[in-house]
Amino acid sequence: MKISTNNTATTFANKALKVLSMTAMVLCAVSLTACSDDDDDDDQKQNGTDSARKIEVKASDIKGIPAGIEIAEVRAVLYSDVQSGLELVTSGWDNGFVIELPETVSSANISPIKYYFMLDEAVTVSKNVNIAHVDPEVYDKEDNYLSDIAFGRVWNGTDMVWGMLVYTDDDCKVSGTQTEKDEDWSASYTFDLDLKKGWNRIYDITKVIDENTEEVKLTTTTPSNIIWGWDTYL
């Protein structure tokens, strides 16, 4: 699912649509197979302690690429509350891709973290840094958008993980839990972020408690069995 808005709330709303569809599967007692242990090697290679600036992914590591797709290039596109899509760098497709993100992003293209995550008073922010994220977007030779390439973990009967590549203009720690409720739905959001100046990986771990309740944790600690996949696969 392509994010084509500068509003991070919509980013989370789009992700939530996937969660709701997974909830329906749970309620219908449909089980999905979890990632194999072989993905541990990919996790160490792609999401370890190396800088998040350089992304190198082989096609064989990307799950769910549709048959017959002809990829021409991958573009790292920046989004924030003030930027609806700025192409930062591109990579040709050679059985995979390599993208090296810039060291810095212009202050004109990033926005305050409190607005980006819609934080309330229950969440503590050590410094009001500015933030944005990039999506690796895939295009064909006619310049048609095909998909995002995402990283995370598919629904395993308990939770799902959605990864983000995030830039911040300074170090910042975010902690605490806030809740959202309406008449027939509620969600809690727990933040455990240790962001470093530059590029970071954030993981959104969503647990569906029942059809009306979910728990979300956003963390910079890498979960197990993280994979890269065609956006509709994750």
Side-chain angles (χ1 to χ4, degrees):
M1 184 180 300
K2 185 179 180 183
I3 300 168
S4 57
T5 176
N6 62 349
N7 189 325
T8 305
T10 307
T11 299
F12 282 101
N14 287 341
K15 186 271 300 180
L17 292 175
K18 295 183 181 180
V19 176
L20 291 174
S21 96
M22 293 299 175
T23 307
M25 292 181 184
V26 173
L27 295 174
C28 293
V30 177
S31 63
L32 298 179
T33 303
C35 303
S36 71
D37 291 338
D38 293 341
D39 291 327
D40 290 340
D41 292 338
D42 291 341
D43 177 46
Q44 294 298 320
K45 177 176 60 180
Q46 298 168 7
N47 296 285
T49 58
D50 292 344
S51 168
R53 279 188 63 208
K54 187 171 184 180
I55 308 162
E56 183 173 359
V57 185
K58 296 179 181 178
S60 59
D61 294 329
I62 301 171
K63 312 301 183 185
I65 299 178
I69 289 290
E70 294 187 4
I71 299 171
E73 67 179 14
V74 179
R75 304 173 187 175
V77 182
L78 186 80
Y79 294 94
S80 72
D81 285 348
V82 295
Q83 179 52 253
S84 60
L86 174 67
E87 184 180 304
L88 294 182
V89 291
T90 64
S91 168
W93 181 265
D94 183 13
N95 198 34
F97 67 95
V98 179
I99 284 177
E100 189 159 356
L101 298 168
E103 289 189 14
T104 60
V105 175
S106 169
S107 60
N109 296 315
I110 53 181
S111 54
I113 192 169
K114 289 183 178 180
Y115 296 127
Y116 182 92
F117 285 120
M118 300 179 295
L119 301 178
D120 63 23
E121 298 80 8
V123 177
T124 300
V125 179
S126 66
K127 187 173 184 178
N128 192 27
V129 299
N130 296 294
I131 195 170
H133 74 272
V134 294
D135 292 337
E137 300 181 357
V138 181
Y139 290 78
D140 65 17
K141 62 182 180 180
E142 280 80 35
D143 201 37
N144 297 310
Y145 169 81
L146 299 175
S147 175
D148 287 7
I149 293 179
F151 62 98
R153 188 173 67 210
V154 298
W155 177 256
N156 62 8
T158 303
D159 60 30
M160 64 182 292
V161 180
W162 176 56
M164 294 178 283
L165 288 164
V166 171
Y167 174 85
T168 176
D169 61 359
D170 208 341
D171 294 355
C172 176
K173 293 186 178 181
V174 184
S175 60
T177 301
Q178 66 185 48
T179 58
E180 295 181 10
K181 294 182 179 180
D182 60 22
E183 292 182 357
D184 56 5
W185 176 83
S186 67
S188 65
Y189 298 89
T190 298
F191 291 82
D192 178 25
L193 303 178
D194 185 5
L195 299 169
K196 304 301 181 185
K197 182 177 181 179
W199 293 96
N200 301 262
R201 288 183 173 92
I202 293 178
Y203 300 90
D204 176 323
I205 306 171
T206 297
K207 292 184 177 181
V208 177
I209 307 305
D210 56 41
E211 63 180 329
N212 300 314
T213 312
E214 65 182 53
E215 295 177 352
V216 180
K217 181 177 181 179
L218 291 102
T219 180
T220 44
T221 300
T222 306
S224 62
N225 295 333
I226 295 300
I227 62 170
W228 285 87
W230 207 250
D231 190 42
T232 52
Y233 180 86
L234 292 173

